[in-house]
Amino acid sequence: MKPIVLITRKVPEIARALLQEAFELIEWMEEEEPAPRSFLEKWIGEVDGLYCLLTDKIDESLIARSNRLKVISTMAVGFNHIDVAAASKRGILVTHTPEVLTETTADLAFALILATARRLVEASVFLREGQWKTWSPMLMTGQEVYGATLGIIGMGRIGEAVARRASGFDMKILYHNRNQKPEAEMRLGMAYAGLEELLQASDFVVVLAPYTQETADMIRKEQLQLMKPSAILINVARGGIVNETDLYDALQKGTIWAAGLDVFDTEPVPLDHPLLTLTNVVTLPHIGSASIQTRMQMALIAAQNLMKGLAGERPNFVVNPTAWSDVNTGQGKE
Ligand code: NAP
C-alpha cells in the first residue's frame, strides 16, 4: 500500500504528478484559499506525510493529533509556521526548500531597495493621477543607491546574494549575525558590525534573519531611532521581526525616510493597516521567491523531500537532523 500524504493547497502540476505516482493523496484543491484548520485536524491522524505551505500553522496541538506522521515538508525556506520542537519530540522530520529561492529573493530585496530609494511606486501613481505638469529640478527626488552603505541583518544565503548585488552598485556593506563570517567578509568585501553600529551607519538596512524568539520585535522604536533620517528599512524576511506600530510612527515622524516591506505581522495585511496610508512605504504581498521557475523548483523540492523521507532515505533539506538520527536509531517516538 502506498503511503498517504496530505497536501494543503493546489500545488504546481509538475510536483503533484510526482506525488500522485508515489502516494495516495488527500488534497485541499483550492489555489487561493488555505485549507481550514478543521480540514487539517480531520486528516492529520490518517497520513504519513504532510506537504504544507507557510500559510498553514502546524503547531503542537495539530502535531499531537498525528499518529503515523513521519515527514512534514514545507514549500518554503522559513519554517517558523511549524513547531519544529514538537515534531522533533515525536521523531517527525521537518524539511524545507532553501538555496533554490536564494537569488530570486535577493532580486526582490534589491528591487525594494531601488523602488524605495527612487520612489518608483509613488512616482508611477503621481503620473497616472495626472499630477505630472512639468519636469522640475526636485520632482520625485529620492536617495542615492550607488555608493551608499548597506547594512544586512542576517547574513545567510540570501544576505550574501544581496551583498553580491550591492557590490555592483559600489556599496559599502556591513552585516550583523550572531556569528561572524571571516571567509565571507574577505570574499564579499564586507565588514561585521554590532546591531547598533549597523543601524547608525547604514543608508539601507535589509532584514534577512529568520523569525525566531530572538528576532521577534528585533527592530522597534529604540532601534529605529538609531537610524539616519535619510535611511530606508527593507524587510524581506518575516513580519514580526520589525514592530509595525513603531515603524509607522518612525515613517510618519520622519525618524527614517522610507520602508520596503514584502512581509507583515498578519498576512494578507488588512487594508485598513496604517502602514498602507503612507506614500513612503512600498508594500508587496510576500512575493520574495515568486518567479515562475523558482516556485516550480520549490514545489518539486518539497515533493522530493517528502518522497525521500517516506522512502527511508535522508531528504536533502532537513530542518531537524536530530529527528532523522532518532528515527534511524529507533528513538524519539512517543
Ligand atoms: P539562512 O541562510 O539561514 O540565513 C539566515 C541568517 O540569519 C543566518 O546567517 C543567521 O546567522 C542569521 N541570524 C539568525 N538569527 C539571528 C539573530 N538573532 N540575529 C542576527 N542574525 C541572525 O536563511 P536564508 O535562506 O538566507 O533565509 C533567510 C530568511 O528569509 C528565511 O528564514 C525566511 O524567513 C526569509 N525568506 C523570505 C522570503 C520571502 O518571500 N519574503 C523568501 C525566502 C526567505 P547566525 O546563525 O550566525 O546568527
Side-chain angles (χ1 to χ4, degrees):
M1 228 178 69
K2 288 179 178 176
I4 306 175
V5 163
L6 176 59
I7 309 183
T8 64
R9 193 78 67 88
K10 187 172 176 196
V11 295
E13 194 46 43
I14 189 168
R16 189 179 176 273
L18 267 186
L19 293 164
Q20 196 171 28
E21 209 177 298
F23 308 120
E24 200 179 306
L25 302 182
I26 297 169
E27 299 169 87
W28 179 254
M29 288 299 281
E30 296 286 335
E31 201 164 341
E32 306 296 341
E33 291 278 324
R37 177 80 179 181
S38 55
F39 179 83
L40 301 180
E41 286 176 352
K42 177 176 174 192
W43 292 110
I44 196 77
E46 315 285 325
V47 299
D48 306 287
L50 174 64
Y51 186 113
C52 63
L53 309 187
L54 55 80
T55 42
D56 304 310
K57 198 169 166 50
I58 313 300
D59 55 18
E60 165 114 58
S61 74
L62 188 72
I63 291 170
R65 285 170 171 257
S66 70
N67 51 49
R68 48 192 273 193
L69 190 63
K70 294 177 197 69
V71 183
I72 300 172
S73 171
T74 185
M75 189 187 139
V77 63
F79 45 82
N80 52 294
H81 60 112
I82 302 170
D83 189 332
V84 177
S88 301
K89 216 164 69 181
R90 291 167 176 80
I92 299 169
L93 285 186
V94 178
T95 65
H96 65 153
T97 63
E99 298 178 11
V100 64
L101 47 56
T102 295
E103 302 298 338
T104 313
T105 309
D107 284 345
L108 190 90
F110 221 87
L112 278 174
I113 289 175
L114 292 169
T116 47
R118 300 301 303 275
R119 304 170 65 176
L120 298 189
V121 176
E122 191 188 349
S124 176
V125 170
F126 175 86
L127 179 154
R128 285 167 187 242
E129 284 178 347
Q131 296 187 59
W132 185 23
K133 304 296 181 210
T134 178
W135 187 95
S136 66
M138 296 307 284
L139 175 68
M140 284 289 157
T141 44
Q143 303 291 341
E144 204 71 51
V145 178
Y146 187 84
T149 297
L150 171 66
I152 298 179
I153 301 172
M155 181 53 71
R157 288 170 291 243
I158 303 170
E160 286 199 16
V162 172
R164 285 197 298 276
R165 284 155 178 74
S167 56
F169 283 71
D170 217 8
M171 295 176 98
K172 180 179 173 197
I173 306 162
L174 302 174
Y175 77 99
H176 177 73
N177 261 12
R178 290 166 306 177
N179 305 292
Q180 212 168 327
K181 297 174 74 174
E183 181 277 322
E185 284 174 24
M186 298 275 288
R187 182 165 35 88
L188 296 166
M190 60 188 189
Y192 185 81
L195 185 58
E196 280 192 15
E197 186 197 340
L198 180 146
L199 292 166
Q200 282 165 342
S202 298
D203 300 304
F204 297 87
V205 173
V206 178
V207 180
L208 275 167
Y211 181 83
T212 62
Q213 277 181 355
E214 227 180 327
T215 61
D217 247 6
M218 190 185 203
I219 307 297
R220 45 188 193 282
K221 187 176 177 183
E222 56 183 295
Q223 286 72 30
L224 292 162
Q225 279 174 343
L226 294 172
M227 292 173 66
K228 301 178 188 179
S230 56
I232 295 174
L233 180 77
I234 307 292
N235 187 5
V236 187
R238 284 289 182 269
I241 299 178
V242 177
N243 182 296
E244 290 177 354
T245 309
D246 292 353
L247 178 63
Y248 172 79
D249 284 347
L251 287 161
Q252 212 203 15
K253 290 180 186 150
T255 310
I256 68 169
W257 202 71
L261 306 172
D262 185 42
V263 288
F264 297 87
D265 251 348
T266 302
E267 295 183 358
V269 62
L271 284 180
D272 60 356
H273 194 296
L275 279 169
L276 302 191
T277 64
L278 301 175
T279 51
N280 55 345
V281 185
V282 175
T283 50
L284 298 176
H286 202 147
I287 55 167
S289 62
S291 75
I292 297 166
Q293 293 88 336
T294 294
R295 286 287 168 83
M296 294 280 191
Q297 283 300 313
M298 289 165 66
L300 263 182
I301 291 169
Q304 287 159 352
N305 283 338
L306 205 48
M307 289 163 73
K308 277 200 170 180
L310 289 180
E313 290 171 50
R314 187 188 159 113
N316 293 349
F317 302 107
V318 180
V319 170
N320 56 349
T322 52
W324 172 255
S325 42
D326 287 349
V327 168
N328 287 286
T329 55
Q331 293 165 14
K333 285 272 172 201
E334 281 200 331

